[in-house]
Amino acid sequence: MTRGYRELGERGMPRKTIFVIGLLIVAGVLYFKDDIETVASGFRVKVVDYQQPAKTVWLDQNVSAERLRWFYHADQGTRTFGIPHEWFMALEQPTVWPLFTAAPRLSETNYLGRFGFIPDTVIPGKPDALPIGFAQGGPMADANGAPWRNPHSKADMTGVGLTCAACHTGSFNYRGTEIVIDGGPANTNLFEFQKSVGVSLLLTRFWPGRFSRFADEILGKDASLDERMALRGQLDLVLKQYANINSLENRVAANSVEEGYARLDALNRIGNQVFSIDLNNPNNYASHSAPVHFPRIWNAPWFSWVQYDGSIMQPMVRNAGEALGVSAELNLLDESKGLYKSSARIDVLHEMERMIAGEPPSEDKGFGGLASPKWPENILPPINMDLAKKGGELYKTHCQGCHGPAIDSKALPASEAFALFKDKKRWIKNEAGQPLLDVEMIPISHIGTDSAQAEGLAHRTVETPANLNIKDGSFGPALGDLVEKTVDYWYDQNKVPPEDRKRINGYRPNEIQAPLAYKVRPLNGIWATPPYLHNGSVPTIYALLSPVKDRPATFYLGSREYDPKDLGYVWKDKIKNAFLLDTTKRGNSNSGHEFSNEKRTGVIGPELKEDERRALIEFIKTL
């Protein structure tokens, strides 16, 4: 074959043919420019630029690097993107440039970083190929429930999905150093990433040259035409599934609120996955009307209500629900295959919970397990301890009533370090006699924060067929019932004894509640968890300590740069493709939890003077 017939696009296509096709495409782009722009706008992936920092550090949070590496990539049985791991690693980024040569890989570290995913370099010199929170799983099924196999080698294709570490590992940058916060809120944009995978798959199917390169990667260059056609059929099945979900999204778009970076309408998305997609019932698909800020998870296993909003009591129901929500396989339709059979790994979910929980809390040691982060004075500016001690007194006056005594602050006398654990009124016990912090639920009528999340949980209903034996059509109880049946199926299949089931369930019953209230918890590590309020509608702690009229009505999310003065992400400077959070939209309100001299719902204390706010901030750095 001469040089004029090298592979430039589809294998073996002559250069002249490629050139003619190129001219036709360019001419079409120019002629139909306006129409193409309209169509393309729905496929455009909008994410911030990202360059991996020169230095990344992990704080000492009482878990070893090796254990963290396991946690980051342990397989929970999730199949988040509906494609095998082998496909994920072979896909090209969703761009049409350059026209006839390969685009960079979708899995490239800097590209995934644009969506907020954190490279896993926790073990020096041994970076993982996948970012934190991505796990390669075992054999997976296709959208029809059949084993997914490579058409050429006939080998099982393996799943890939997100784990709890994807949403509950945070990071921020300060002057060129990235600080990873284990158990902290992610700064990811999951909706845009899902879109990027879908667009990449679409281009793989239809853009000149892409499918040929993809087939060479997955099947090998010696694959037959029939095997390539079989692979194309698998790709078409995936695209049909994406199209179905896109159709459901369009049905509810008018009532949806954009989530953007650092937020997700988590419970509604879990409900959509199990009650609509898994159940094949479009009527159960709800809008994303109440985005919430990813919650911090340190100490959470020892709270009386473990879900961030206080709706779920049992740790396993919460964790298994999360796995189902990020697309663990779940059979709700075919009784012959076992209703409630799932790929969710209950054993792995329990081991993750134990890593986070550690030993039960005590008066002399406090909380065990994953520790909240401590302010790194070797990286961030040092704490003004004199000012922090003044802030400690203000904390007792304005914060302690709801959030409890501060935990282990060096700005307090040693006798007060573990005061929370000595306050018997704040503690109850589980069925095994272990202590649980009895977290308080504050009515929205008092705290005044955005009510969309609580109201959505309280008022949403779902339709389920009689054979699933779900007795309550209210969303919360129905979800709790469905998850419990899924966990019980796993227990039965693995012959787990009753006493072990109680232990794995955290020695707690499956209780669900949906009050018009939000949970409060201790504030240790709060400085490392921007943005603030349950819906992420306040960018910094300084803004949270200010009257609502002084909080920004709009601000940008997507920056990773930390502001150690006001405690939050830098938000005033617009960066390309940042997400603009508009607090005037339902679900985004920044009202409530207010210190003000005006009398209205949500005012919880008098207006704080500038020096008082600064003192409180300095104290919060010590928590």
Side-chain angles (χ1 to χ4, degrees):
M1 183 177 291
T2 66
R3 293 181 63 187
Y5 288 82
R6 286 181 177 172
E7 288 184 357
L8 297 178
E10 293 291 344
R11 193 166 53 179
M13 187 178 289
R15 184 188 295 270
K16 289 182 180 179
T17 305
I18 293 283
F19 182 71
V20 172
I21 292 174
L23 287 178
L24 289 173
I25 290 173
V26 172
V29 168
L30 294 174
Y31 188 79
F32 297 105
K33 183 176 183 297
D34 291 340
D35 292 333
I36 289 173
E37 276 296 310
T38 300
V39 173
S41 64
F43 295 100
R44 186 174 296 128
V45 178
K46 295 177 284 189
V47 283
V48 299
D49 291 331
Y50 170 79
Q51 291 297 323
Q52 192 170 351
K55 182 180 180 182
T56 301
V57 299
W58 270 258
L59 305 181
D60 181 6
Q61 293 185 245
N62 199 37
V63 179
S64 70
E66 291 74 20
R67 191 68 169 152
L68 287 171
R69 169 65 58 84
W70 170 84
F71 174 69
Y72 293 158
H73 307 292
D75 175 29
Q76 298 178 189
T78 58
R79 311 286 187 255
T80 309
F81 315 113
I83 59 173
H85 172 262
E86 294 84 353
W87 284 27
F88 181 78
M89 301 304 290
L91 287 176
E92 298 174 20
Q93 292 174 20
T95 174
V96 298
W97 307 106
L99 277 174
F100 302 116
T101 57
R105 294 294 173 99
L106 180 79
S107 56
E108 187 181 82
T109 297
N110 277 358
Y111 185 68
L112 295 180
R114 297 183 66 187
F115 299 92
F117 296 114
I118 306 167
D120 177 7
T121 58
V122 67
I123 298 178
K126 296 181 180 179
D128 197 275
L130 291 171
I132 291 172
F134 283 66
Q136 180 179 359
M140 69 179 293
D142 64 22
N144 290 329
W148 198 323
R149 295 194 171 98
N150 185 305
H152 178 63
S153 69
K154 312 307 179 188
D156 287 326
M157 304 297 279
T158 56
V160 63
L162 299 180
T163 77
C164 55
C167 295
H168 302 292
T169 307
S171 73
F172 51 78
N173 297 346
Y174 184 70
R175 296 184 177 179
T177 297
E178 179 183 40
I179 302 170
V180 176
I181 307 296
D182 286 299
N187 189 13
T188 54
N189 192 329
L190 291 181
F191 179 78
E192 286 295 323
F193 183 62
Q194 286 276 41
K195 184 196 291 187
S196 77
V197 176
V199 176
S200 179
L201 289 164
L202 193 67
L203 291 171
T204 299
R205 176 64 175 85
F206 295 108
W207 197 253
R210 282 219 177 184
F211 181 78
S212 178
R213 293 191 295 272
F214 180 70
D216 285 350
E217 180 82 12
I218 299 300
L219 305 175
K221 293 185 179 182
D222 60 338
S224 68
L225 178 60
D226 285 346
E227 290 165 346
R228 287 172 176 263
M229 292 304 294
L231 178 64
R232 181 165 288 176
Q234 291 177 338
L235 181 53
D236 286 342
L237 184 60
V238 172
L239 288 173
K240 181 180 178 181
Q241 185 76 355
Y242 269 74
N244 289 340
I245 295 173
N246 189 58
S247 177
L248 293 170
E249 287 283 333
N250 289 336
R251 287 182 54 172
V252 300
N255 296 317
S256 289
V257 178
E258 186 176 359
E259 294 150 319
Y261 284 91
R263 307 193 313 159
L264 196 73
D265 190 350
L267 280 176
N268 271 335
R269 285 190 176 274
I270 292 172
N272 287 346
Q273 178 64 44
V274 298
F275 290 118
S276 181
I277 298 170
D278 292 333
L279 199 54
N280 194 25
N281 186 341
N283 294 332
N284 283 337
Y285 205 87
S287 61
H288 313 305
S289 56
V292 297
H293 172 227
F294 297 113
R296 60 200 186 275
I297 59 173
W298 49 79
N299 313 144
W302 301 111
F303 297 158
S304 55
W305 294 89
V306 294
Q307 181 72 359
Y308 70 90
D309 62 349
S311 62
I312 301 174
M313 175 177 285
Q314 187 190 107
M316 182 48 69
V317 166
R318 180 198 58 193
N319 296 341
E322 173 264 323
L324 296 178
V326 286
S327 304
E329 294 165 8
L330 176 64
N331 176 41
L332 298 177
L333 300 174
D334 189 344
E335 292 194 50
S336 68
K337 293 182 179 179
L339 292 179
Y340 297 107
K341 181 180 181 181
S342 173
S343 63
R345 293 287 306 275
I346 305 305
D347 51 346
V348 174
L349 291 169
H350 175 61
E351 190 173 351
M352 287 180 162
E353 182 76 7
R354 296 314 310 151
M355 188 205 84
I356 296 165
E359 294 300 314
S362 62
E363 290 186 18
D364 57 333
K365 294 181 179 179
F367 287 113
L370 178 67
S372 55
K374 293 296 184 183
W375 183 271
E377 292 192 89
N378 59 327
I379 302 171
L380 300 177
I383 300 171
N384 182 330
M385 291 306 300
D386 290 337
L387 193 57
K389 290 175 182 178
K390 295 178 183 177
E393 295 304 313
L394 291 166
Y395 177 92
K396 294 176 187 177
T397 301
H398 299 293
C399 311
Q400 186 164 302
C402 290
H403 292 283
I407 298 175
D408 195 21
S409 168
K410 59 184 180 181
L412 295 174
S415 59
E416 297 181 25
F418 293 106
L420 175 68
F421 303 94
K422 299 171 185 176
D423 186 350
K424 303 300 183 184
K425 294 180 181 179
R426 293 183 179 269
W427 294 86
I428 59 175
K429 292 183 178 180
N430 64 16
E431 294 168 359
Q434 297 168 330
L436 301 175
L437 182 63
D438 193 14
V439 289
E440 187 176 359
M441 300 294 296
I442 305 295
I444 295 173
S445 58
H446 171 70
I447 200 65
T449 49
D450 192 287
S451 62
Q453 193 278 332
E455 289 175 350
L457 180 62
H459 302 318
R460 182 179 177 180
T461 59
V462 292
E463 304 169 355
T464 57
N467 65 333
L468 289 184
N469 197 28
I470 293 176
K471 300 179 178 61
D472 194 331
S474 298
F475 172 53
L479 181 61
D481 197 0
L482 181 147
V483 175
E484 182 177 19
K485 293 178 188 301
T486 302
V487 173
D488 285 344
Y489 185 96
W490 188 92
Y491 286 152
D492 292 343
Q493 292 300 109
N494 289 276
K495 298 180 173 55
V496 179
E499 285 305 310
D500 285 343
R501 298 185 188 205
K502 290 181 181 179
R503 174 178 54 81
I504 295 172
N505 288 342
Y507 296 110
R508 279 179 258 183
N510 176 21
E511 290 192 15
I512 306 292
Q513 63 177 2
L516 296 181
Y518 291 126
K519 181 179 84 176
V520 292
R521 56 171 291 177
L523 296 181
N524 51 313
I526 190 70
W527 60 270
T529 65
Y532 295 98
L533 291 185
H534 77 275
N535 60 351
S537 61
V538 180
T540 65
I541 287 181
Y542 182 83
L544 186 61
L545 296 175
S546 304
V548 170
K549 63 182 176 61
D550 294 333
R551 298 173 185 173
T554 61
F555 61 93
Y556 291 101
L557 286 172
S559 170
R560 291 160 173 76
E561 194 65 23
Y562 188 72
D563 177 356
K565 181 180 179 183
D566 289 351
L567 305 189
Y569 291 115
V570 171
W571 59 270
K572 294 181 181 178
D573 300 329
K574 185 182 186 307
I575 57 178
K576 185 178 180 181
N577 291 332
F579 165 63
L580 182 65
L581 194 151
D582 182 352
T583 63
T584 64
K585 294 182 178 180
R586 174 170 165 75
N588 290 354
S589 173
N590 65 355
S591 65
H593 196 283
E594 182 179 10
F595 296 95
S596 172
N597 292 330
E598 300 180 29
K599 295 184 185 244
R600 59 170 170 270
T601 299
V603 172
I604 59 174
E607 183 169 340
L608 300 171
K609 298 176 183 177
E610 170 71 13
D611 62 333
E612 291 176 318
R613 293 180 221 173
R614 291 298 170 193
L616 262 173
I617 282 175
E618 216 64 19
F619 176 70
I620 287 169
K621 293 177 184 179
T622 72
L623 297 179

